[in-house]
Amino acid sequence: MQSYYVWDPLVRLFHWSLVILFAVNALITDPEARLHELLGYAVLGLIGLRLIWGIVGSRYARFSSFPPSISGAVGHLTEIATGRTQKHKGHSPLGALMIYNLLITLTGIGLSGYLMTTDMFWGTEWPEDLHEALVTWAELSVVLHVAAVIFESRRTQVKLARAMITGYKEVATGETESSP
Ligand code: HEM
Ligand code: HEM
């Protein structure tokens, strides 16, 4: 086995804090309570931190190491369809698209939540409708995200969730890795 250090502590802390805050706000808190707003703002804060880290952070944390790429995603799907396994040190092309989707959706949830607390669109329903629609979209995305992590972990024999805890991806010796 060969170990590659890919996720620095900030990425890991960001990820698991986001998982907890999102789950608590989507499933537990009373949406009308102050706690819901505070946790929602904490999510926005985490995303803000991640955006900065995506520019100045460690190699695999930087957005430049996983740019959104349709051709990359098609290549990744072809790889799955043809049974080839190429291991990715950082985020895979499909993983990257999901990450941008989640970051944008969560930002939209936070902003629409904030709009509901202001008088800016008083008397209109759309901020609340948008908030609810984005939460539903985020929930569907998370289900797909977790399913993809399980599927890709089995297909590539790399324990992806474990890597998000330890920081290290363990790859069988002799297997080539694409970079990133
Ligand atoms: C138990 C459930 C979850 C597991 C096991 C999990 C696992 C993972 C793994 C393994 C990665 C890295 C993927 C890769 O190797 O490219 C990742 C990335 C990511 N996940 Fe999750 N995830 C979970 C839930 C969530 C939830 C609920 C959210 C957000 C609402 C989320 C948002 C993200 C984001 C934003 C990234 C990118 C991390 C970064 O680069 O900073 N995940 N997740
Ligand atoms: C990750 C962040 C967030 C999640 C997952 C989330 C989730 C939810 C959910 C599930 C609902 C209930 C929707 C329904 O009735 O079907 C809701 C409603 C609401 N949320 Fe959020 N929310 C988040 C952030 C925020 C923020 C940042 C604010 C405000 C600062 C906010 C304010 C509200 C308000 C005012 C409602 C409507 C309450 C009512 O029914 O009158 N949310 N949110």
Side-chain angles (χ1 to χ4, degrees), residues 17-169:
S17 310
L18 192 64
V19 171
I20 292 166
L21 290 178
F22 177 79
V24 169
N25 245 17
L27 306 171
I28 299 173
T29 54
D30 170 2
E32 291 180 41
R34 183 83 185 122
L35 181 64
H36 181 83
E37 295 180 11
L38 288 177
L39 297 186
Y41 288 137
V43 167
L44 280 183
L46 277 178
I47 293 177
L49 205 64
R50 182 65 183 91
L51 292 183
I52 297 171
W53 201 240
I55 298 164
V56 303
S58 66
R59 180 173 173 191
Y60 295 108
R62 284 203 293 272
F63 298 128
S64 56
S65 79
F66 58 103
S69 159
I70 299 296
S71 60
V74 171
H76 190 173
L77 284 173
T78 313
E79 188 191 305
I80 293 171
T82 54
R84 278 183 300 122
T85 35
Q86 197 184 15
K87 294 179 177 70
H88 305 269
K89 270 192 198 157
H91 290 302
S92 66
L94 286 174
L97 289 188
M98 176 54 86
I99 290 161
Y100 291 115
N101 166 42
L102 283 169
L103 293 178
I104 292 168
T105 307
L106 289 166
T107 306
I109 292 173
L111 293 180
S112 56
Y114 162 74
L115 287 183
M116 275 190 272
T117 66
T118 70
D119 289 337
M120 227 183 290
F121 299 100
W122 198 83
T124 58
E125 289 288 319
W126 71 261
E128 190 167 347
D129 292 344
L130 181 64
H131 193 69
E132 288 177 18
L134 289 175
V135 170
T136 305
W137 176 251
E139 287 169 348
L140 291 173
S141 300
V142 165
V143 170
L144 184 62
H145 169 61
V146 176
V149 167
I150 295 169
F151 176 81
E152 286 291 84
S153 295
R154 296 170 74 113
R155 189 178 73 87
T156 63
Q157 300 289 307
V158 178
K159 295 190 172 78
L160 298 175
R162 197 168 102 162
M164 205 26 107
I165 296 169
T166 62
Y168 289 90
K169 278 192 182 176

